[in-house]
Amino acid sequence: PRFDGIYYLVDSSFVARKLKVQRLSPDFGSIMHEVLSGFNSVLFLGASRDENFAFSQKIQRKFPENSYQFYSGFENVNFYINKVNEFRPELVVVSMGYPLQENLSLKIMESINFDCKILCSGAFISQESKGDEEFYPKFWNSLDLRWFYRLLHERTARKRFIKVVINAIKLEFKWK
């Protein structure tokens, strides 16, 4: 897989040290086909209802053999935990952005009693819902600089990046 994503570059080493989490952090868009073809049942959480619907249509066209459920990212934690326990998927993809998706993933992990993989995918559902074309232009994709493209074009990504850098610096000095 190709590695991209500013969270991986800046923040994951600090979080992994603190929580003792093993983490592989590629940009989900670059590995989606390989990941989804390896699981029979997948639960997607995140994005708005409209984005979620558009995304669900796209995924079900690309991977019709799998079983899916899709829920927007604007429900409460107990709603998601109940849906995971009812569906019992092999994979849960949480697409809510940092740190919401990481927090929800930890709560889901603590609340299930079956084997299930959980993958955080940033704004993947929102990005993929934008139509049949690829979200990132080929130039940025070919250089594995999708995170930088988002910094240039998305105000919320810039704000989150600044927070991540500040928190990473604070944590690094705190742990020394």
Side-chain angles (χ1 to χ4, degrees):
R2 294 158 47 160
F3 293 89
D4 187 17
I6 195 61
Y7 178 77
Y8 172 74
L9 296 173
V10 175
D11 200 41
S12 64
S13 64
F14 301 110
V15 173
R17 260 190 278 161
K18 184 75 172 169
L19 299 177
K20 296 180 176 70
V21 172
Q22 294 179 355
R23 180 182 171 97
L24 171 67
S25 186
D27 174 70
F28 188 56
S30 65
I31 62 166
M32 175 187 70
H33 294 283
E34 292 87 355
V35 169
L36 293 183
S37 63
F39 294 93
N40 294 319
S41 58
V42 183
L43 178 66
F44 290 95
L45 307 174
S48 70
R49 290 187 197 285
D50 291 341
E51 289 170 329
N52 206 284
F53 178 76
F55 173 75
S56 71
Q57 300 301 303
K58 187 175 184 179
I59 291 298
Q60 289 172 333
R61 273 194 315 273
K62 287 184 176 184
F63 303 97
E65 65 281 357
N66 293 0
S67 175
Y68 301 106
Q69 287 189 7
F70 304 86
Y71 296 97
S72 73
F74 299 97
E75 306 294 343
N76 66 50
V77 173
N78 289 331
F79 174 86
Y80 296 124
I81 290 170
N82 288 337
K83 293 301 178 185
V84 170
N85 280 312
E86 288 171 14
F87 185 46
R88 300 178 67 85
E90 295 174 341
L91 173 67
V92 176
V93 177
V94 185
S95 182
M96 297 178 175
Y98 169 80
L100 294 175
Q101 64 192 15
E102 286 79 10
N103 293 334
L104 177 59
S105 296
L106 289 171
K107 289 178 181 170
I108 290 171
M109 285 172 35
E110 294 168 353
S111 303
I112 60 175
N113 61 2
F114 59 94
D115 187 30
C116 174
K117 307 295 183 234
I118 300 176
L119 190 144
C120 296
S121 66
F124 176 73
I125 292 175
S126 296
Q127 295 165 356
E128 285 292 312
S129 72
K130 304 299 185 214
D132 286 332
E133 73 282 349
E134 296 298 319
F135 178 76
Y136 298 103
K138 289 185 189 311
F139 171 77
W140 297 100
N141 234 351
S142 67
L143 296 175
D144 286 335
L145 290 173
R146 291 175 292 278
W147 66 271
F148 190 67
Y149 175 84
R150 290 189 63 213
L151 284 179
L152 293 175
H153 295 279
E154 297 178 17
R155 187 171 153 241
T156 56
R158 287 189 297 273
K159 287 170 56 177
R160 190 168 44 251
F161 173 75
I162 291 167
K163 286 181 186 175
V164 167
V165 170
I166 290 169
N167 287 336
I169 292 167
K170 286 179 182 177
L171 284 172
E172 186 62 25
F173 285 109
K174 182 179 179 179
W175 289 347
K176 284 190 176 197

